[in-house]
Amino acid sequence: MKETVDRSGFGVVDFIMVLLLVLTLVVPMVRIFPTYVEYYGLKKTIDRIQKTAQSEDEAKTALQNQFAIDSVKAISVDNILIEKVNEKLVISFNYKQPIPLYGDLSILMNYQAKATGK
């Protein structure tokens, strides 16, 4: 008569389940991460330009130059609002970026920032 041995361990089915879970979480993060990096770069850029630029035209020119250097594709300089409020330069933007995940499934990210110099 054979003895039954209680085996505990990591089987093929367990491996596949963990792999599916990891892929379900990792793929969206990998796709979203570059858009966050670009957003924070844009935010840092408008903060810096808001502090250094004296006029709206100077700010727009500086943004155009920086966008060319950074190869910004998510938003154009024409979509950035540059205005004087109470003798202070205010630069802001608001844009949406769809991120495809799997087939027809995508995530829509809303990004907005405002540099007021406070």
Side-chain angles (χ1 to χ4, degrees):
M1 188 156 119
K2 290 188 176 182
E3 238 180 81
T4 59
V5 178
D6 186 27
R7 294 182 183 185
S8 61
F10 200 68
V12 173
V13 175
D14 297 329
F15 176 73
I16 291 172
M17 296 291 276
V18 169
L19 185 64
L20 286 174
L21 179 65
V22 167
L23 287 176
T24 302
L25 297 174
V26 169
V27 168
M29 287 190 296
V30 167
R31 300 259 172 110
I32 291 170
F33 182 74
T35 65
Y36 271 117
V37 170
E38 187 171 44
Y39 164 72
Y40 283 111
L42 286 170
K43 189 174 178 185
K44 193 168 90 174
T45 298
I46 67 167
D47 286 338
R48 182 177 45 78
I49 291 174
Q50 188 276 331
K51 290 175 185 170
T52 60
Q54 300 299 318
S55 68
E56 296 165 3
D57 291 335
E58 185 181 344
K60 187 171 184 173
T61 303
L63 280 169
Q64 287 172 337
N65 293 339
Q66 193 63 44
F67 278 25
I69 292 168
D70 293 342
S71 299
V72 174
K73 303 278 190 258
I75 189 171
S76 71
V77 175
D78 297 330
N79 295 339
I80 293 182
L81 181 62
I82 305 169
E83 59 187 351
K84 283 259 190 182
V85 176
N86 296 331
E87 298 302 315
K88 282 191 156 188
L89 196 63
V90 176
I91 304 173
S92 61
F93 64 82
N94 183 1
Y95 68 96
K96 296 178 182 182
Q97 187 166 11
I99 303 166
L101 293 179
Y102 310 102
D104 291 338
L105 181 64
S106 64
I107 295 175
L108 182 63
M109 301 297 292
N110 294 313
Y111 294 114
Q112 60 183 353
K114 188 175 200 176
T116 59
K118 289 185 179 179

